[in-house]
Amino acid sequence: MTAQRLGLSSSAYFRTNTIRGRNIALISLLVGWSFWVAPFGSNGQEINFAKQIRPLLTRNCISCHGPDESHREADLRLDSFEGASASAIVPGKPDESEVYRRITSDDAGVRMPPPEHGSALTKDEQELIRRWIAAGAEYTQHWSFIQPISATPPSSRFDDWTYNEIDCFIAQKLESTQLSPSEMAEPHQLIRRLALDLTGLPPTKTQVDRFAASPTMQSYETIVDELLASPTYGEHWAAMWLDLARYADSYGYASDEERTIWPWRDWAIAAFNQNMGYDQFTIEQLAGDLLPAATPAQQLATAFHRNTLNNTEGGTDDEEFRTIAVKDRINTTINVWMGLTMRCAECHTHKYDPISQTEYYQFLDFFNQTADADQNDDSPRLDVLSDERKLLIAKLELDIAALKEKLGPPRSVWQIILPQQAQSVENAELKINEDQSVSALGDVADKDDFTLQFSLPAGVHRALKLEVMPEERTGNNVGRSDGGNFIISQILATMPAANAAEPTVKHLFSDAAADFSQSGYDVKLMIRDTVDDLGWAVAGGPGAFSQPRFAVLSFTEPIQLDSPSTLTITLIQQSPWPKHLVSRLRVAVTNIEQAAERFRSNQLEPVDPELAKLEAQKQELSTPAKVPVLQELPLEKHRQSHVMLRGSFRVPGEVVTAAVPIAFQPLPDLAPVNRLGVAKWLLAAENPLTARVTVNRFWSRIFGRGIVETEEDFGSQGSFPSHPELLDWLAIDFREHGWNVKRLLKQLVMSATYRQTGQTSDQRLEIDPQNVFFSRGPRIRLTAEVVRDQALAVSGLLSPKMYGPPVFPPSPVKRIVNAFSGGMDWHVSPGEDRYRRAIYTFLKRSQPHPLFETFDMATREVCSLRRFRTNTPLQSFMTLNDETFVECAQQLAAKMQQHAAEVDRQIEFGLTTALQRPADPQQTSTLQNLYSQTLGRFANDATAASQMAGLDEIESKANNQVAELAALTVVANVILNLDAFFTK
């Protein structure tokens, strides 16, 4: 209601409402202005149902009197005109309407809602209901279920301020709320905001200097285009998508074991960088495998829906967890693309939105026809070797060939011995391969012993190497257990005696070493005389169970042969853990003395270190990742889908077939009745939600809040859009211009709305404390990933390396323990992998990196559409003390020291580098005082100074230089913890 209608000046109007504590209600009224233009018409009776009445009914009535027949009270529906007018509302006659009588009654036994279900409606709310009924009790459809209509960008008195259509809608709302746009942000502030928003990294010094020298729209647009074209753009925006996709590098649940899904993460990064249309982006992730002649990349895209949790524990019901995964896929699909809480209809008809329980399971049928994972994750997998890797392999092969030519013929201390026979006590199929390895195929017994005979050449043999290898035909793990592990209880070596009449000779082992042994299952346990529950196992090692493992065993006495003989190796595999048997093995011998001891110290192989490094890199790059993907079952194997009573898979109800909720448009003509048809349904022009939800999501990431604040709920329980006409205009424009994400983002950041300063005033805070009207620029804390990446970037430590397996940066948690899997050690990645962007950090669902948890990152157990920002002391503890942030401070301090000799100039350089703006004299002065205070302490404590500066040896520099660097490190640590550093 306008100030003029009340006969008040604008200032008196706002002041009066603030005093009465109704300022929030006023803001809500103004936010939804376009929905009801004149909340009370000239006759005093005009009421807007969508804006004023539906929220009252939803909040107070619909949970008991809505579409959910299983929880409906008194057989009364108030969510539709038909239901309400049948018995509770007499249109035009509020005094004869039972609803009005109940909400105004003073009798606790009659009043609605009942006291135990909520507070009575206020007098104002009762009056709204009375006026609405008197006007005819008109019901209208929820705003987001109506197709968007593109409005003409309006004019306002701020037309000179506007740059593009976005600004026209914003300006009109500002004018109606007695606000005006803010001035443009200072160039340094704006260019930093822009770079952080588009790439998640600070701008380069060149970009900052160029724009500061010429802050024109042409210069600004050039930098926008540079940032959108940067590969760092895809890394930043893919991080947002990983929340929606519930991406993690482990399965979840109690065991939470590692899994290989990172190639899908790389696919998402590449898709953003290639500016794949959002329509194609949608189709490939939901149904890439169903496209004609689907490419490997399109099949890989469907790993989006393999990001579900998977229970690898023994003793669980496979069908239960398969069903949970399928439900997660449909809930995620509708939540991500339509912004609806479909999950609510799993057990009963949705209480608030038009989705029945039957429709929930009809929609589930689309996703119920894939070759799904059981508890062992026995799902279709795709071998992935990216184009980037192929190019790197080709280059490495050239480098290796050149180095080998330079080094001459290779020498090896190991000689592979040839298998002649292989037998299994439990009759497993032991196949001898061309590479002289032996594979265990066929059925898997709970326990088994393998006996293998090898041809042993003449010579002296002092040690044996047992290589346990992954077998592609049986899961590509080194072990055949459900999880991929093996346990060798004991290893025996025997040979025929020189005299055939004598018994065979048993050769014992005196020592054993391995490239990795599981905690409690050391390799030495298999060279004992006894057999018990223990032995050699390898859970928790780098690369999990998809990498070969080596054991080197030194013979107690050397084997000396004048002529070839036969060596029999027996692997005793009698662990109480079922199926913990090796998948494939190969045996070699050597005459090197103390081989096991030398193997432990990494001094066994006389290989050129550079050649070893190159070959290791090639080996790592050449091993394809096996990624779980979606694969449709043949028609004859399609499952029958049922309504699950009370949501339980154990209580099937009526049989249902694939269909979409009838409240929305049907499947497009000629669309297949499968996941591909669902994708086309989501993208159809008739779908009222997908484009709206999508543009709102990108708007929210740029401006700090969505036009619809509840990004996760566009249903009747969600919030109204602050600028509905703008939302619809953006949605239609986005769809009609090819679902072009980079174009959309460029529109947003080019707008005058975006380029406003983040500074505010008392008036703005009084009228619009949450910046709902966007009368100023965003001022919010950076996300977890950007907090870390920015610190690495400004210090100079950030690695530009893209793609590949997850990495393990420093973490205060050194070992992660799980209930049933034994957990894993957090081995910090070497070299530049230690400093890669946060998106590449290994994410374990049960215990993410502490930085992510502390800075409000989603747990990734389910789809998360919006992060809620918090401010806690733990965040400061993390950025002040975490190993990575301390290293960043040390590196920045070193750069500051190298930049200039004078302390004030060093500090100015540090501030400018971190904040991308000229140093503030007051901050410089304060930090100089801090420097002086700490310098004195470090000058008298050389050890503390060396540790603070990150120097290994005090003697590496003169003591005064060490103290100065240590004091600068303290200063740099403070700079990297300024509020301005963590805020855009």
Side-chain angles (χ1 to χ4, degrees):
M1 177 182 311
T2 64
Q4 288 76 13
R5 284 191 181 162
L6 289 177
L8 300 173
S9 68
S10 297
S11 59
Y13 179 66
F14 288 117
R15 184 168 61 251
T16 301
N17 278 275
T18 302
I19 292 171
R20 293 175 180 173
R22 304 293 293 173
N23 203 30
I24 293 176
L26 170 67
I27 290 173
S28 299
L29 179 151
L30 293 171
V31 168
W33 191 263
S34 57
F35 280 98
W36 38 294
V37 185
F40 296 91
S42 57
N43 60 2
Q45 298 297 315
E46 291 189 30
I47 301 289
N48 182 278
F49 175 79
K51 177 60 187 176
Q52 295 169 280
I53 305 302
R54 185 189 294 277
L56 288 178
L57 297 178
T58 297
R59 184 168 62 250
N60 298 288
C61 312
I62 301 302
S63 62
C64 295
H65 301 292
D68 180 10
E69 63 279 2
S70 64
H71 291 77
R72 190 182 301 143
E73 298 289 339
D75 196 28
L76 169 64
R77 290 188 67 168
L78 293 177
D79 63 312
S80 68
F81 178 81
E82 292 76 15
S85 62
S87 60
I89 290 179
V90 180
K93 300 178 179 180
D95 293 334
E96 298 179 20
S97 299
E98 186 68 13
V99 162
Y100 183 66
R101 186 178 76 82
R102 291 295 190 105
I103 66 173
T104 57
S105 175
D106 293 328
D107 185 345
V110 174
R111 177 173 66 80
M112 288 290 164
E116 65 271 19
H117 286 289
S119 302
L121 272 66
T122 67
K123 294 295 184 183
D124 288 346
E125 291 169 338
Q126 293 172 9
E127 177 63 11
L128 276 176
I129 295 291
R130 190 192 72 76
R131 288 175 178 266
W132 169 62
I133 295 174
E138 179 186 6
Y139 276 74
T140 59
Q141 194 174 10
H142 180 59
W143 71 268
S144 72
F145 302 158
I146 302 170
Q147 279 186 250
I149 300 173
S150 186
T152 301
S155 296
S156 71
R157 65 188 180 89
F158 302 122
D159 282 352
D160 290 344
W161 169 78
T162 62
Y163 177 80
N164 59 21
E165 294 89 345
I166 292 170
D167 302 322
C168 297
F169 293 100
I170 297 295
Q172 182 196 45
K173 184 61 64 70
L174 291 177
E175 183 176 12
S176 71
T177 58
Q178 313 301 317
L179 287 170
S180 60
S182 295
E183 62 184 16
M184 291 297 104
E186 185 273 331
H188 293 89
Q189 179 193 84
L190 178 59
I191 211 66
R192 176 177 181 267
R193 176 196 301 170
L194 177 70
L196 291 172
D197 278 339
L198 293 186
T199 69
L201 295 175
T204 64
K205 185 177 185 302
T206 300
Q207 289 169 333
V208 173
D209 292 346
R210 188 200 323 159
F211 187 63
S214 177
T216 63
M217 285 305 297
Q218 181 178 358
S219 174
Y220 180 76
E221 184 174 11
T222 298
I223 296 176
V224 169
D225 291 337
E226 289 175 0
L227 294 170
L228 289 172
S230 168
T232 58
Y233 158 85
E235 292 174 313
H236 177 57
W237 287 96
M240 172 201 73
W241 193 253
L242 300 193
D243 276 2
L244 279 63
R246 65 270 192 247
Y247 170 86
D249 297 298
S250 65
Y251 287 117
Y253 293 113
S255 56
D256 199 23
E257 294 178 351
E258 181 179 350
R259 70 168 165 197
T260 301
I261 197 100
W262 57 264
W264 175 83
R265 176 249 288 148
D266 289 356
W267 176 91
I269 294 172
F272 273 101
N273 275 333
Q274 295 161 9
N275 200 27
M276 180 184 289
Y278 190 75
D279 52 347
Q280 190 67 19
F281 187 68
T282 297
I283 288 170
E284 293 193 9
Q285 289 182 94
L286 295 182
D289 60 309
L290 296 175
L291 292 171
T295 66
Q298 289 170 333
Q299 296 174 56
L300 173 61
T302 66
F304 171 85
H305 267 327
R306 285 293 181 196
N307 278 314
T308 52
L309 279 72
N310 188 266
N311 197 335
T312 58
E313 300 169 34
T316 55
D317 190 311
D318 292 355
E319 181 61 14
E320 176 183 8
F321 287 96
R322 188 196 71 82
T323 300
I324 290 172
V326 174
K327 287 181 177 180
D328 174 73
R329 288 171 196 146
I330 67 168
N331 298 334
T332 296
T333 299
I334 294 298
N335 210 196
V336 168
W337 276 275
M338 293 182 70
L340 297 179
T341 54
M342 193 171 194
R343 185 188 302 269
C344 298
E346 177 184 346
C347 302
H348 51 75
T349 291
H350 203 296
K351 288 183 178 294
Y352 304 104
D353 295 332
I355 304 172
S356 71
Q357 188 184 21
T358 297
E359 288 175 321
Y360 178 91
Y361 288 100
Q362 288 174 329
F363 195 75
L364 177 142
D365 189 57
F366 286 112
F367 292 82
N368 200 26
Q369 312 307 335
T370 56
D372 281 300
D374 61 15
Q375 67 175 16
N376 302 321
D377 197 20
D378 184 21
S379 57
R381 292 178 183 271
L382 182 72
D383 284 351
V384 177
L385 199 62
S386 66
D387 292 339
E388 293 83 2
R389 283 198 165 201
K390 291 175 183 176
L391 291 173
L392 290 171
I393 291 169
K395 181 180 183 304
L396 281 170
E397 286 175 342
L398 292 173
D399 294 342
I400 289 170
L403 185 56
K404 282 183 175 179
E405 184 176 355
K406 177 182 176 182
L407 295 173
R411 293 184 302 113
S412 176
V413 300
W414 292 109
Q415 182 178 4
I416 296 175
I417 55 177
L418 311 181
Q420 297 174 320
Q421 294 183 19
Q423 294 180 328
S424 157
V425 170
E426 297 296 335
N427 297 317
E429 180 187 351
L430 299 183
K431 177 179 174 56
I432 298 174
N433 303 309
E434 292 183 1
D435 64 354
Q436 312 309 321
S437 66
V438 178
S439 296
L441 306 174
D443 295 337
V444 189
D446 285 344
K447 302 179 181 182
D448 205 348
D449 296 342
F450 297 165
T451 300
L452 306 101
Q453 290 185 351
F454 295 88
S455 175
L456 191 62
V460 178
H461 309 294
R462 290 186 169 87
L464 177 145
K465 180 170 71 171
L466 175 65
E467 182 181 3
V468 183
M469 311 158 73
E471 170 52 65
E472 183 176 350
R473 290 165 289 188
T474 58
N476 203 44
N477 290 321
V478 291
R480 304 192 71 190
S481 68
D482 292 345
N485 201 0
F486 66 82
I487 300 177
I488 301 176
S489 310
Q490 188 183 48
I491 183 169
L492 302 174
T494 58
M495 291 183 62
N499 185 343
E502 295 179 2
T504 57
V505 178
K506 181 178 179 181
H507 289 270
L508 302 178
F509 298 102
S510 61
D511 193 9
D515 65 328
F516 180 82
S517 291
Q518 180 179 330
S519 177
Y521 290 82
D522 190 78
V523 67
K524 286 188 177 182
L525 292 173
M526 69 175 180
I527 63 172
R528 299 176 299 164
D529 288 334
T530 57
V531 175
D532 54 25
D533 292 350
L534 301 176
W536 179 40
V538 294
F545 302 116
S546 62
Q547 298 296 318
R549 293 286 176 256
F550 303 93
V552 174
L553 305 102
S554 296
F555 291 117
T556 304
E557 297 292 337
I559 299 174
Q560 301 187 33
L561 297 177
D562 296 329
S563 60
S565 183
T566 299
L567 175 67
T568 301
I569 300 295
T570 303
L571 298 186
I572 309 296
Q573 302 168 98
Q574 296 295 318
S575 164
W577 303 102
K579 299 180 174 57
H580 277 58
L581 313 177
V582 298
S583 292
R584 185 158 63 110
L585 61 95
R586 187 163 55 191
V587 175
V589 291
T590 185
N591 65 353
I592 292 291
E593 295 180 355
Q594 299 176 317
E597 181 178 344
R598 295 178 64 177
F599 184 79
R600 274 191 293 271
S601 61
N602 200 27
Q603 296 177 351
L604 189 61
E605 297 277 6
V607 177
D608 179 79
E610 181 62 23
L611 180 61
K613 178 182 176 182
L614 293 175
E615 289 183 331
Q617 290 176 349
K618 179 188 172 185
Q619 174 65 28
E620 179 184 353
L621 292 170
S622 300
T623 303
K626 293 187 173 296
V627 185
V629 292
L630 294 184
Q631 186 180 94
E632 195 79 351
L633 291 170
L635 189 61
E636 64 273 12
K637 291 187 177 181
H638 270 206
R639 300 181 181 91
Q640 193 174 69
S641 298
H642 298 259
V643 171
M644 298 180 191
L645 303 183
R646 298 181 300 280
S648 173
F649 81 104
R650 296 184 185 277
V651 191
E654 65 174 302
V655 174
V656 293
T657 56
V660 295
I662 59 174
F664 306 101
Q665 83 286 352
L667 284 177
D669 293 341
L670 304 179
V673 185
N674 56 22
R675 285 178 284 113
L676 182 57
V678 169
K680 292 179 180 294
W681 173 73
L682 292 170
L683 297 163
E686 295 76 18
N687 190 308
L689 284 163
T690 300
R692 279 178 173 142
V693 168
T694 305
V695 297
N696 186 68
R697 179 177 302 132
F698 285 102
W699 178 284
S700 176
R701 298 311 184 277
I702 293 295
F703 287 96
R705 65 175 294 135
I707 296 174
V708 176
E709 184 179 9
T710 54
E711 298 175 49
E712 68 283 359
D713 191 358
F714 272 58
S716 58
Q717 287 286 89
S719 58
F720 280 92
S722 59
H723 299 73
E725 293 90 352
L726 170 58
L727 180 65
D728 284 4
W729 185 89
L730 283 170
I732 293 172
D733 184 73
F734 180 54
R735 190 184 67 224
E736 291 183 347
H737 285 85
W739 305 85
N740 188 325
V741 173
K742 285 189 177 182
R743 178 182 177 275
L744 170 64
L745 288 172
K746 184 173 181 179
Q747 283 177 299
L748 301 185
V749 300
M750 291 296 294
S751 69
T753 305
Y754 176 78
R755 290 181 285 112
Q756 296 176 102
T757 180
Q759 302 300 318
T760 187
S761 65
D762 291 342
Q763 182 201 24
R764 294 184 199 281
L765 289 176
E766 181 180 9
I767 297 174
D768 188 15
Q770 301 299 321
N771 201 23
V772 173
F773 303 132
F774 306 104
S775 65
R776 57 186 182 272
R779 185 178 179 85
I780 57 173
R781 200 206 60 224
L782 301 172
T783 60
E785 296 92 335
V786 182
V787 165
R788 179 178 183 273
D789 294 348
Q790 182 186 217
L792 290 169
V794 301
S795 68
L797 288 174
L798 183 66
S799 165
K801 182 179 176 183
M802 295 182 67
Y803 305 123
V807 295
F808 299 81
S811 169
V813 178
K814 304 304 179 186
R815 179 162 178 78
I816 299 173
V817 179
N818 296 110
F820 302 111
S821 67
M824 61 173 281
D825 292 323
W826 188 272
H827 298 281
V828 176
S829 298
E832 66 175 321
D833 283 349
R834 181 186 183 100
Y835 304 115
R836 294 186 64 193
R837 291 194 73 168
I839 192 173
Y840 300 111
T841 296
F842 183 90
L843 198 148
K844 192 172 180 69
R845 280 190 167 112
S846 60
Q847 196 167 343
H849 192 286
L851 174 75
F852 296 161
E853 288 190 294
T854 305
F855 280 91
D856 311 318
M857 184 170 163
T859 63
R860 302 274 177 84
E861 293 176 322
V862 295
C863 166
S864 175
L865 280 82
R866 178 166 55 135
R867 295 188 191 179
F868 294 90
R869 290 182 293 273
T870 63
N871 291 288
T872 72
L874 288 176
Q875 293 164 356
S876 296
F877 291 149
M878 173 65 70
T879 54
L880 282 166
N881 300 294
D882 179 77
E883 187 174 348
T884 295
F885 286 90
V886 171
E887 289 182 31
C888 290
Q890 291 167 341
Q891 186 71 11
L892 178 59
K895 292 170 62 177
M896 293 161 63
Q897 192 176 58
Q898 294 167 7
H899 176 74
E902 301 83 4
V903 174
D904 58 342
R905 290 187 59 206
Q906 292 172 345
I907 293 173
E908 288 174 355
F909 174 78
L911 285 167
T912 300
T913 300
L915 304 179
Q916 288 84 44
R917 61 165 170 76
D920 180 273
Q922 184 174 352
Q923 287 183 325
T924 302
S925 177
T926 302
L927 290 172
Q928 277 188 274
N929 292 335
L930 174 64
Y931 174 85
S932 299
Q933 294 168 12
T934 55
L935 180 62
R937 180 169 67 87
F938 287 128
N940 298 318
D941 190 340
T943 300
S946 181
Q947 291 174 346
M948 176 57 69
L951 302 177
D952 294 331
E953 298 180 7
I954 298 175
E955 294 78 17
S956 61
K957 288 191 176 183
N959 283 344
N960 62 329
Q961 289 180 304
V962 175
E964 290 167 0
L965 183 57
L968 276 179
T969 300
V970 173
V971 171
N973 188 260
V974 172
I975 291 174
L976 297 182
N977 277 273
L978 292 173
D979 178 69
F981 188 68
F982 293 126
T983 305
K984 73 162 186 176

